[in-house]
């Protein structure tokens, strides 16, 4: 396997706080990789570094062999990294389909002027393609039958899945899922687990942050562990589970299950 994403000594400081401290980490093409660790360890900040919300203070980040450190978030998304957020960020007044189309438009080749000239055949063709793509992404999270419902009317677990559909609509090579199972009941988590496996089988590499250890251990090929911004372990689930430093920092305390 080859590294699709590479963090090389990635570091970010917020004033005196080193939120991410010299992290080296690879995500291989085709794997499901997880990032775990106590609250405040720096997991979401690593996702924010990868997606261009913050530039690293030091170190490099590369995707498909090219540096992406310091690029604008929309450029990184357009290059093939999709993400969801820890707190759901949907457009509540829009329909389920419209929420996904917003993601898909990152991939569209037409701009606002083109959109205003909707009657032009190439624009109409492009719109048709994006609509097809959006429906396909909804079906990947089993929400196609709810395409015309208002997003805020979906139950919580389905809203989280809608966020995944929107991230898939940019046709990413890599998707970052920030606590995808948070707030879900066991049945919803089981459904989600199968969906994430199917997303990987469709050719998308998955990198997730998650606190539910049963979910993480059952899903991931590899797990990296962060504590106070420092990577303290990286390996197969069974190796990480048995690692004394991980038990001391996390599994013995804050982790669920
Ligand atoms: N923009 C910011 N400015 C200042 N401090 C920040 C900023 N973003 C994150 N931090 C700090 O960096 C540290 C890491 O935060 P982060 O949200 O990445 O942790 P986390 O591992 O995702 O935690 P959780 O599991 O609770 O979501 C925390 O101490 C947080 O307060």
């Amino acid at each position: 396997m080859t590294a699709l994403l590479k963090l090389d000594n990635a570091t970010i400081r917020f004033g005196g706080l080193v939120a991410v401290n010299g992290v080296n980490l690879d995500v291989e093409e085709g794997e499901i990789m997880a990032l775990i660790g106590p609250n405040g360890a720096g997991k979401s900040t690593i996702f924010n570094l990868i997606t261009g919300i913050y530039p690293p203070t030091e170190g490099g980040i590369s995707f498909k062999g090219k540096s992406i450190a310091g690029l604008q978030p929309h450029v990184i998304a357009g290059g093939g990294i999709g993400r969801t957020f820890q707190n759901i960020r949907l457009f509540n007044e829009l329909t389920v389909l419209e929420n996904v189309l917003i993601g898909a438009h990152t991939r569209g080749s037409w701009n606002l002027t083109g959109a205003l000239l909707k009657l032009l055949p190439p624009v109409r063709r492009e719109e048709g393609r994006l609509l097809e793509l959006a429906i396909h992404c909804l079906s990947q999270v089993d929400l196609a039958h709810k395409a015309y419902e208002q997003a805020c009317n979906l139950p919580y677990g389905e809203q989280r899945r809608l966020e995944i559909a929107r991230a898939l609509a940019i046709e990413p090579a890599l998707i970052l899922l920030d606590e995808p199972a948070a707030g879900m009941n066991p049945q919803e988590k089981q459904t989600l687990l199968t969906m994430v496996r199917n997303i990987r089988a469709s050719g998308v590499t998955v990198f997730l942050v998650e606190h539910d250890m049963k979910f993480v251990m059952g899903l991931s090929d590899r797990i990296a562990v962060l504590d106070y911004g420092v990577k303290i372990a990286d390996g197969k689930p069974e190796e990480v589970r048995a690692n004394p430093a991980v038990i001391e920092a996390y599994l013995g305390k804050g982790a669920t299950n």
Side-chain angles (χ1 to χ4, degrees):
M1 289 217 248
T2 48
L4 181 64
L5 177 78
K6 206 172 182 50
L7 270 60
D8 179 16
N9 190 35
T11 300
I12 184 164
R13 293 192 189 90
F14 297 114
L17 174 79
V18 191
V20 175
N21 193 350
V23 170
N24 295 308
L25 189 146
D26 285 359
V27 178
E28 310 287 343
E29 196 169 341
E31 75 176 340
I32 298 179
M33 171 90 181
L35 183 61
I36 64 171
N39 292 327
K43 304 178 298 295
S44 293
T45 304
I46 285 196
F47 275 14
N48 288 336
L49 287 173
I50 296 167
T51 53
I53 309 282
Y54 307 125
T57 316
E58 271 168 49
I61 303 172
S62 58
F63 178 60
K64 295 181 177 171
K66 290 194 181 130
S67 173
I68 56 166
L71 296 182
Q72 291 294 309
H74 71 276
V75 176
I76 294 173
I81 301 182
R83 84 172 283 186
T84 65
F85 292 87
Q86 201 172 337
N87 302 313
I88 294 179
R89 295 187 182 185
L90 294 172
F91 295 96
N92 282 323
E93 304 308 316
L94 300 183
T95 65
V96 166
L97 180 63
E98 284 164 343
N99 268 279
V100 180
L101 278 170
I102 286 171
H105 280 172
T106 314
R107 246 359 196 190
S109 56
W110 47 269
N111 54 22
L112 185 62
T113 318
L116 294 171
L117 297 171
K118 267 185 182 174
L119 293 175
L120 290 177
V123 176
R124 283 213 308 272
R125 266 200 302 280
E126 177 76 352
E127 275 204 324
R129 192 190 79 80
L130 293 181
L131 195 60
E132 243 174 63
L133 170 64
I135 296 284
H136 172 68
C137 295
L138 282 174
S139 66
Q140 283 183 285
V141 294
D142 196 20
L143 284 178
H145 59 294
K146 299 212 169 173
Y148 296 100
E149 286 192 26
Q150 211 174 321
C152 60
N153 289 337
L154 295 187
Y156 180 81
E158 292 186 356
Q159 290 194 11
R160 291 214 84 103
R161 275 159 39 199
L162 174 53
E163 285 231 305
I164 297 176
R166 188 172 58 187
L168 288 172
I170 68 159
E171 299 183 291
L174 172 68
I175 189 168
L176 310 181
L177 305 176
D178 200 343
E179 298 198 28
M184 288 189 175
N185 64 37
Q187 169 103 45
E188 288 173 328
K189 284 180 187 172
Q190 193 52 45
T191 306
L192 177 68
L193 194 117
T194 306
M195 284 170 183
V196 175
R197 283 200 183 119
N198 289 342
I199 287 166
R200 184 260 292 274
S202 77
V204 180
T205 301
V206 178
F207 188 20
L208 74 149
V209 164
E210 184 51 63
H211 281 289
D212 183 321
M213 281 309 103
K214 190 167 169 232
F215 185 87
V216 168
M217 296 286 171
L219 180 64
S220 314
D221 300 313
R222 213 152 51 84
I223 300 174
V225 189
L226 213 59
D227 189 31
Y228 292 109
V230 175
K231 190 178 90 171
I232 59 167
D234 184 344
K236 296 203 171 91
E238 55 274 21
E239 295 165 351
V240 165
R241 201 198 317 250
N243 183 315
V246 178
I247 294 168
E248 166 64 23
Y250 185 49
L251 294 181
K253 303 179 198 161
T256 53
N257 301 310

